[in-house]
Amino acid sequence: MPHLARRLFALPQDLEGAAQSWLEHGERTPRAARLASSVVLLRDSPTGLETWLAYRPGSSPLGVLAFPGGSLDAADDDPVPWLGPSPQHWAEQMGTDDVGLARRHVLGAIRELFEETGLLLAGTDMAGTIEATSTPEWMRARVAVAEQEKTFPEVLAKRGLSVRTDLLKSLVNWRSPDFAHRRFDTRYFAATVPLNQQPTLLEGKGMWGRWVNAADVIADRHTTALGDEVGQENTVGRTLGELLVPGSEIMLEKMAAANGCIAYLSYKRKAHVYQPVLVEEDGKLMLEVEAAKTTADDPQRER
């Protein structure tokens, strides 16, 4: 059983005002959190596990840099041909009694991954997945889903495709801090890239996204290298902890420590909620998160 530790993370700049207001006016009822799903993409490389990170404009509750994902929408409740583990199985994996909610999160994860990267976890049977999703036709379908001109189930139905839920693995549940003005209750999943598919940015929306080596990103976490490369006003000069939500940073640590995709995906996980709490440490506001330590010398405090 992994040892749970209290971890301290820097408070993101765009949450400082909300945090001060929360303290000054006394704790009150948190704003309702929107349900969201996110997919951690994985691939092996000669230098270790890699994952896909993308820039999110504005102050996204998923972080300035994040794994593909976003809020659930009404069409995630629509009927869709389903291959792989049942919604009941997913509910058990995710630690919820709400089977409908688990189903929505799984479908939302597959839809968001398709919108943001073009990767489609779908096929006509369990033997394979659709290939070559980088064509202009597929890009038009992605834009139509993103703009809510078409629903994701409609796109699948037109092509006779079923979602391959067996290609997802449940990871953790991250909840935005209580004091945040925009809050997400996000379920994270993991997946590898289907055969003959490649992630691409959504036309007209995506600004920066690429494969990053998890170990390298963690090794450089106290530098501004990644933020400088992204080159946006709210990324230049910022360290990793100022770009990612703590849940994402913890997941990157675990990827950095894993011996490849198979090892990472086959690790037995219990349903766990990352619920950040606002604390004052040495006169500085920080976020405290309870998380399993990755290694014996895992740092307890990430400035």
Side-chain angles (χ1 to χ4, degrees), residues 79-96:
V80 65
W82 186 283
L83 297 169
S86 67
Q88 176 67 48
H89 171 88
W90 280 107
E92 290 166 10
Q93 291 290 306
M94 293 159 64
T96 177

Side-chain angles (χ1 to χ4, degrees), residues 267-287:
Y267 182 77
K268 296 283 187 291
R269 294 172 177 83
K270 290 190 174 181
H272 183 69
V273 178
Y274 289 144
Q275 179 67 68
V277 177
L278 186 65
V279 296
E280 192 169 331
E281 189 78 11
D282 301 329
K284 187 178 179 184
L285 291 178
M286 302 190 80
L287 293 176

Side-chain angles (χ1 to χ4, degrees), residues 36-38 56 60-67 69-70 184 186 188 244-245 248:
S37 288
S38 183
R56 307 187 76 85
S60 169
L62 292 178
V64 181
L65 295 185
F67 308 111
F184 273 2
T186 309
Y188 283 86
L244 302 178
V245 295
S248 296

